[in-house]
């Protein structure tokens, strides 16, 4: 499924995005590294980009995640995921995202978050969506707040980011 608001478009990631992914991650390494997930030594070897895409596609087919390329004017500028989709009594998920540095601060991620949030509530009938952000990541905190997510609280040592377990702030949106 593709999503658009007339300014940006989101389309499911494909295997042919692999070369682009590797290139932009390398070009934006310093920009993204402080916020990127890393793998503690007990987790084994981190997956390659090709393995990640394959895994995301498998999860998408099973209804556990949706992973999109963010594009503006036909150019790929970022990535957004609706992950950890759970149905049953909780009906929840989380959103994660990144954008290339030269496309930052233009409101594109906020637009992408709104599109994914609205899709999750209207089409998937989810009830609750979280965005977990490192307290130091002020731009991402602004994204969550501008997209209508409310601060719920702190998650201590929540994710392994940039080589260590990092605290996160949890922002939540619930369906009306």
């Amino acid at each position: 499924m593709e999503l658009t608001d007339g300014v940006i478009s989101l389309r499911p990631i494909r295997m042919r995005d692999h070369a682009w992914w590797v290139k932009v991650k390398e070009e934006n390494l310093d920009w993204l590294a402080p916020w990127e997930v890393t793998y503690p030594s007990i987790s084994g070897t981190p997956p390659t980009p090709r393995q990640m895409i394959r895994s995301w596609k498998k999860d998408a087919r099973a209804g556990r995640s949706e992973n999109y390329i963010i594009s503006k004017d036909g150019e790929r500028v970022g990535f957004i995921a609706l992950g950890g989709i759970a149905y049953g009594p909780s009906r929840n998920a989380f959103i994660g995202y990144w954008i290339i540095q030269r496309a930052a601060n233009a409101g594109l991620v906020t637009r992408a978050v709104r599109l994914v949030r609205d899709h999750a509530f209207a089409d998937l009938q989810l009830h609750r969506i979280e965005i977990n952000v490192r307290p130091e990541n002020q731009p991402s905190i602004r994204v969550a707040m501008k997209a209508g997510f409310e601060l719920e609280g702190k998650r201590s040592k929540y994710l392994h980011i940039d080589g260590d377990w990092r605290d996160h702030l949890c922002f939540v949106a619930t369906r009306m």
Side-chain angles (χ1 to χ4, degrees):
M1 170 180 283
E2 293 194 19
L3 308 172
T4 186
D5 69 357
V7 173
I8 64 162
S9 62
L10 308 179
R11 66 149 174 84
I13 193 166
R14 300 183 279 233
M15 285 307 293
R16 65 179 156 235
D17 292 312
H18 172 263
W20 169 82
W21 182 280
V22 171
K23 180 179 179 240
V24 298
K25 288 293 203 135
E26 186 176 296
E27 291 172 351
N28 291 269
L29 185 63
D30 292 339
W31 166 255
L32 296 172
W35 323 115
E36 284 284 296
V37 296
T38 50
Y39 293 80
S41 59
I42 58 172
S43 296
T45 307
T48 66
R50 194 174 300 279
Q51 289 169 328
M52 288 185 339
I53 293 170
R54 215 176 272 124
S55 176
W56 291 332
K57 293 187 79 47
K58 180 180 176 184
D59 283 350
R61 285 189 299 276
R64 293 186 298 261
S65 74
E66 295 186 2
N67 303 278
Y68 298 98
I69 296 294
I70 304 169
S71 296
K72 182 175 186 315
D73 299 327
E75 179 188 3
R76 295 173 287 193
V77 296
F79 174 79
I80 187 166
L82 181 68
I85 299 172
Y87 293 100
S90 62
R91 302 198 71 84
N92 63 56
F94 63 83
I95 293 176
Y97 45 80
W98 57 262
I99 193 154
I100 60 175
Q101 187 172 11
R102 66 181 167 75
N105 301 313
L108 304 180
V109 175
T110 302
R111 287 176 171 278
V113 167
R114 287 179 180 145
L115 280 171
V116 170
R117 177 205 61 205
D118 293 350
H119 162 65
F121 289 155
D123 302 324
L124 303 179
Q125 297 291 297
L126 297 182
H127 169 71
R128 175 188 167 94
I129 303 170
E130 294 183 5
I131 298 175
N132 293 288
V133 180
R134 288 191 49 197
E136 307 89 337
N137 192 342
Q138 289 300 312
S140 201
I141 289 170
R142 283 192 301 275
V143 164
M145 294 176 73
K146 283 193 224 174
F149 287 69
E150 295 181 10
L151 177 63
E152 184 175 72
K154 177 183 165 188
R155 295 202 168 183
S156 297
K157 310 237 181 279
Y158 180 64
L159 287 172
H160 203 269
I161 304 283
D162 193 25
D164 202 0
W165 295 103
R166 308 289 180 173
D167 294 345
H168 282 67
L169 298 176
C170 180
F171 291 86
V172 175
T174 55
R175 194 171 106 191
M176 301 295 178

